[in-house]
Amino acid sequence: MEYRINQDRIEWSHCGEYVCVEACGRDSVRVRASFKAPVDRSLHYNLKPEDGEGTRAFLEGKMAVLECGGTRAEINEFGQITFFYEGKQILKEAWIDETCGMPPYQKAREYQGIGGLSCQIRAYFYANQTEHIYGMGQENRDCLDLKGCTVDLCQKNTKCTIPFYISTLGYGFLWNHPGVGRAEFAKNRFLWEASMSRQLDYVVIGGGTPARIMERYTSLTGRCPQYPDWILGLWQSKLRYKTQEEVLEIAREHRKRKIPLSVLVVDYFHWPFQGDLRFDEKYFPEPWKMKEELEKDGIHLMVSVWPTVDMRSENYRMLREKGCLITAEHGPDIFFLCRGALTYLDMTEPKAGRMLFEKLKENYVRHGITSFWLDEAEPEIYPYAYENMRLAKGNGLEVSCYYPFAYNQSVEDGLLREGIWETKAGQESDGIILVRSGWIGSQSLRSVIWSGDVPSTFDSFRRQLMAGLHMSMCGIVLWTTDIGGFYGGDAEDEEFRELMIRWFQFGVFCPILRMHGYRRPYEEAGSMEDMSGECNSGGGNELWSFGEEAYQIMRKYLSVRERLIPYIKEQIQIARETGTPLMRPLVYDFPEDDRVYDMGDEYLFGSQILAAPVMEYGARSRKVYLPGDGIGWVNGNTGEKAAGGTEITVDAPLDRMPVFYRE
């Protein structure tokens, strides 16, 4: 095997495989490989490759070596790569058939042709029995430590794939493939699979501690921008407010009760047909007046936007003729049924992104609306036949995980390009995006990711906390849930009222505090021709909708949130500078403490606050582990002090959530 060595790169080809190993940032080594075609080094997606500090490539006997800062990649004579950080082995490619004295037959990098230049690609790595793994995006898993787990790489409602993890061995791993696949973190080996791709692409990031790894990862994929301060207050939403007058009545009731409200949301089917991208004037006749009245009370209006397009939409024919829709590889172009047969805007097609923004500008921005809720962002399809989707960037198997980022970015780019979000000296910027999925680099956009349509149960609540912690380990700074869950909640049910209280307490110690849900009683959907008038709305979902006890407790905790805002702003500034997320598992700050490796029921909210939500119905106390030998913690409810490195039992009556402040 002959190597071609540059200062920051090693390349070789052997038996039809082309491989490129190069520095791509501080302590970061990128591996790209392909079969029967040279590596395309122009493909970056959301990576922003940088020169690695202290990079050198050289031969050492029969081995080629690339050193990038403290990370070292050694390539043996058979092409197998082993990674080290500061002299310690952190990861090694696993050759499957290891026979004594003979080179392996089945290599660590496999390519199975599926047509043209595309392959199903697999990469194998040895498992380390002592490591623990966090990240990979958002799923309703019931575990914090992902060791032993299988993760499907795809986008769905409630599931957001960001294929990056941080290991307690002191490295991060990024699988830079925008398509469908899977990852297995089994006891005997790690497997990464891309169902359809033209080349393998992964990055190993050294750093030692989670904080340093995150700093390097976000340097490579982007850090969070400046956000408007007002997003840190209360967001109010329900499945839908049916009319302009209903929206204003909700705002007036908040004013009457002196409840501070930051954002009020007009959700789906405020339009005639999906794809019309405008208010239905029958129910929202004067949106500019609605916006003006809300603005007088300091309330920012957000509207829901779906990328779905109904064949009855006034824009369908134009979008189809201009090639701006996702099409089917086989059969009719129908991917989702929701009060109509739907396809989607193809957000990987730049032309579609520009046309979407022009419609938003024409029908919303001109009324002063500059905050958008980008729903259905996966895109959500049934059945999950990704291989039947054809997008501008390729088949759905090959590129569909990139869709939510492209959707988000197209709207943000339009708002920035037109100066609508322009930040002037001494003034805040003027908008935010809420989106139902993300991908590598989503933290660099001015957006909030929320966890989708989750059920209203205590079990779901517990899983949501762990989902948020995994998102934070992928660099996501602004993440949120539907307080109380999205569906199944009955305001007259005692257990659900308690769930609302506990979830709201948790929401106060989340990056975004947001009320949303589809509450009982449900009503039957009506006419398929009057979408806005006859679509379901559900019961009330305002603070006063769940009984007097719940109302008073949530009012008290809203006051806590208002006092927390200066602290949250400080912690977000730290995220902008270092990548450290606001909400994070204990292992992020205490990676040497093996007692926190699978602790997913408490977390750090910034550097000074430990939050321990109550996630069991009827519980009025709970155990709390306080990490950090030598660190002092103060109970935020009682003022009592406790030492780090200890587990204590604390009272948690319904009107109190355990919170501790670092001394």
Side-chain angles (χ1 to χ4, degrees), residues 14-38:
H14 182 68
C15 296
E17 183 187 31
Y18 294 79
V19 184
C20 175
V21 180
E22 63 184 323
C24 69
R26 188 176 180 187
D27 294 327
S28 301
V29 174
R30 185 177 186 182
V31 176
R32 279 176 286 188
S34 58
F35 191 67
K36 296 294 185 180

Side-chain angles (χ1 to χ4, degrees), residues 447-520:
S447 60
V448 179
I449 295 179
W450 112 95
S451 58
D453 301 339
V454 301
S456 296
T457 65
F458 274 93
D459 179 67
S460 173
F461 179 22
R462 186 184 70 255
R463 294 167 185 262
Q464 284 298 283
L465 172 54
M466 283 185 277
L469 296 179
H470 280 297
M471 288 290 277
S472 75
M473 294 297 268
C474 296
I476 300 301
V477 176
L478 297 187
W479 175 87
T480 185
T481 64
D482 295 350
I483 288 176
F486 176 70
Y487 64 89
D490 185 345
E492 300 302 317
D493 179 73
E494 181 180 342
E495 181 171 342
F496 178 67
R497 289 185 174 190
E498 182 165 325
L499 177 66
M500 282 297 304
I501 292 168
R502 294 306 196 186
W503 209 314
F504 191 89
Q505 291 168 340
F506 163 68
V508 165
F509 292 90
C510 278
I512 298 295
L513 173 65
R514 178 176 154 273
M515 294 284 286
H516 187 65
Y518 182 25
R519 306 297 175 224
R520 297 182 185 275

